């Protein structure tokens, strides 16, 4: 069965510093990987996704992630964070590309950016 | 207007009440989902509908009853809930492997 582990529950960082949010997954088949962001009292917004091709994926708001098959990881990075990046971040995995294949989520990482 | 709209945004109900959550998607997707988000827990998949047919029920108690009359609408009927059912209920839709698009959620409080 597939699973997702987000290694850090909370990541505090100063504004304009770089950040990496870590995600590892477990699956016996090829997977599709996603990062979502959730602001307070909001739903989840898709940041970026890896389906195939280049292992470095660029998303919205200056975020990027790198798929590493040998390490079964999909870490999220941003070279310089803003106060507005403070939010909950979720890594998710899907084993199928058909409609109706649900995403399995990690527990989330709270990113807190301070000045 | 967001692609996935959930109503109401907030709901307070007693344990003996019956209420329904509504979700509507304007994206032309074929699959719709209900997720439950509780504090300090990962998102829990509840139900999956694919082309209006339920394809997954993730061991959800019968006090939660989903309904999908067409590919654009999804309901979650609630009755005799427990306080531990208080949570944010999220609806999502998807098409293929594009990733799921989520609504804003309904914050449910059971008193």
């Amino acid at each position: 069965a597939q699973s997702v582990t987000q290694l850090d529950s909370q990541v505090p960082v100063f504004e304009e510093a770089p950040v990496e949010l870590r995600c590892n997954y477990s699956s016996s088949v090829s997977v599709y990987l996603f990062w979502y962001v959730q602001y307070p009292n909001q739903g989840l917004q898709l940041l970026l996704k890896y389906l195939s091709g280049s292992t470095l994926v660029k998303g919205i708001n200056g975020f990027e992630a790198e798929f590493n098959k040998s390490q079964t990881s999909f870490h999220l990075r941003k070279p310089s964070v803003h106060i507005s990046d403070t939010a909950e971040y979720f890594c998710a995995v899907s084993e199928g590309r058909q409609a109706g294949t649900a995403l399995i989520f990690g527990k989330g990482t709270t990113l807190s950016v301070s000045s | 207007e967001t692609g996935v709209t959930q109503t109401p945004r907030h709901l307070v109900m007693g344990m003996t009440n019956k209420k329904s959550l509504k979700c509507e998607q304007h994206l032309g997707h074929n699959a719709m989902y209900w997720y439950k988000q509780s504090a300090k827990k990962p998102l829990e998949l509840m139900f999956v509908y694919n082309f209006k047919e339920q394809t997954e029920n993730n061991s959800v108690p019968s006090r939660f009853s989903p309904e999908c009359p067409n590919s654009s609408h999804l309901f979650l009927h609630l009755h005799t809930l427990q306080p531990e059912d208080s949570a944010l209920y999220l609806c999502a839709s998807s098409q293929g492997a594009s990733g799921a698009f989520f609504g804003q959620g309904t914050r449910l409080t059971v008193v």
Side-chain angles (χ1 to χ4, degrees):
Chain A
Q2 55 188 320
S3 65
V4 178
T5 302
Q6 292 185 241
L7 297 158
D8 307 294
S9 59
Q10 296 190 30
V11 173
V13 64
F14 288 108
E15 194 174 18
E16 298 183 7
V19 70
E20 179 179 81
L21 306 184
R22 297 180 293 167
C23 173
N24 286 88
Y25 67 91
S26 171
S27 175
S28 59
V29 299
S30 296
V31 296
Y32 305 97
L33 296 157
F34 306 83
W35 274 99
Y36 284 82
V37 60
Q38 185 178 33
Y39 300 101
N41 300 313
Q42 301 282 322
L44 276 69
Q45 179 183 7
L46 181 64
L47 268 180
L48 48 77
K49 59 188 175 188
Y50 171 79
L51 303 181
S52 65
S54 173
T55 57
L56 183 63
V57 179
K58 293 190 184 298
I60 63 172
N61 301 341
F63 284 94
E64 64 181 30
E66 186 156 20
F67 170 58
N68 188 318
K69 187 175 181 179
S70 62
Q71 296 187 3
T72 60
S73 68
F74 190 55
H75 300 334
L76 180 71
R77 301 187 188 104
K78 186 169 182 178
S80 176
V81 295
H82 301 132
I83 297 285
S84 59
D85 292 322
T86 295
E88 189 84 10
Y89 291 80
F90 294 93
C91 181
V93 64
S94 169
E95 287 185 341
R97 61 187 311 147
Q98 301 88 356
T101 303
L103 298 177
I104 303 303
F105 287 85
K107 291 185 176 182
T109 297
T110 302
L111 175 64
S112 299
V113 182
S114 57
S115 57
Chain B
E1 181 184 342
T2 61
V4 180
T5 304
Q6 290 187 243
T7 54
R9 291 292 310 277
H10 300 273
L11 178 63
V12 179
M13 60 185 288
M15 289 189 283
T16 58
N17 291 160
K18 289 185 179 180
K19 296 286 184 183
S20 295
L21 310 185
K22 179 182 176 183
C23 176
E24 183 175 1
Q25 59 102 354
H26 311 278
L27 301 168
H29 292 168
N30 292 324
M32 295 188 76
Y33 313 81
W34 280 116
Y35 283 87
K36 176 184 178 182
Q37 186 178 30
S38 305
K40 308 300 182 186
K41 289 186 178 181
L43 276 81
E44 301 171 57
L45 177 66
M46 300 177 72
F47 302 103
V48 180
Y49 277 83
N50 193 16
F51 292 96
K52 302 188 299 178
E53 299 297 322
Q54 186 180 129
T55 56
E56 190 161 347
N57 176 337
N58 207 21
S59 302
V60 180
S62 59
R63 57 186 184 269
F64 294 91
S65 174
E67 179 190 1
C68 188
N70 54 61
S71 294
S72 299
H73 293 86
L74 184 64
F75 296 89
L76 188 63
H77 303 300
L78 316 171
H79 64 97
T80 59
L81 294 191
Q82 304 298 312
E84 60 265 28
D85 296 322
S86 298
L88 182 67
Y89 289 85
L90 292 163
C91 173
S93 69
S94 72
Q95 181 81 4
S98 60
F101 288 79
F102 284 80
Q104 301 277 56
T106 295
R107 173 69 62 185
L108 174 67
T109 303
V110 181
V111 296

